[in-house]
Amino acid sequence: MNIEAKLGLDVFQIDSEQSHILIDQEVCQSRCTIRYCLHVCPADLYELNENGEMTVDYEGCLECGTCYIACREDALEWHYPRAGYGVQYRFG
Ligand code: SF4
Ligand code: SF4
C-alpha cells in the first residue's frame, strides 16, 4: 500500500474558517534558505506558490507537529485544530 492510499484511510473534519497552522512569510523569505518544512511533512502539505510564498494545505494535516519542530526560524504558529475538527485515524 503506498502513502497516498494510507492517507486516504484517514478522515478529516475540515475547519474551513481558520487554519491551525499560520506561516510568517516575512521570516520565511528573509531568514530561511533550507526550507525544512518542504522536506519533513509526512503528508507533503507544504508548497511554494508562484509568488514565492510558503503555503500549507492544513486541511490534510496529520497533526504530528513535525513542521513546527523542524522550522528553526520560528516562522510557524501551530496549534491543534479546534474541537470537532482535524484528522481521525481509522487504524490507530
Ligand atoms: S522551514 Fe520555517 S522559515 Fe523555513 S520556509 Fe518553512 S516555515 Fe518558513
Ligand atoms: S503537523 Fe505534520 S502533517 Fe501537519 S503540516 Fe506539519 S508536518 Fe505536515
Side-chain angles (χ1 to χ4, degrees), residues 9-74:
L9 295 173
D10 298 328
V11 175
F12 297 90
Q13 299 299 329
I14 296 169
D15 186 348
S16 55
E17 292 183 15
Q18 65 183 60
S19 171
H20 65 287
I21 305 173
L22 300 176
I23 304 173
D24 187 330
Q25 298 296 334
E26 189 180 332
V27 172
C28 295
Q29 295 185 20
S30 64
R31 301 217 303 257
C32 187
T33 54
I34 298 182
R35 313 282 195 186
Y36 302 99
C37 55
L38 287 175
H39 307 289
V40 299
C41 177
D44 198 21
L45 300 177
Y46 281 84
E47 200 173 277
L48 276 171
N49 69 16
E50 61 274 8
N51 298 320
E53 297 168 333
M54 189 59 70
T55 65
V56 59
D57 181 13
Y58 73 94
E59 297 174 348
C61 181
L62 302 173
E63 299 171 29
C64 65
T66 306
C67 55
Y68 183 57
I69 293 169
C71 178
R72 297 185 183 182
E73 306 297 341
D74 289 331

Side-chain angles (χ1 to χ4, degrees), residues 1-12 62 87-92:
M1 183 182 280
N2 63 27
I3 188 70
E4 286 77 17
K6 288 180 179 176
L7 290 172
L9 295 173
D10 298 328
V11 175
F12 297 90
L62 302 173
V87 65
Q88 294 174 5
Y89 290 102
R90 300 266 191 97
F91 296 102

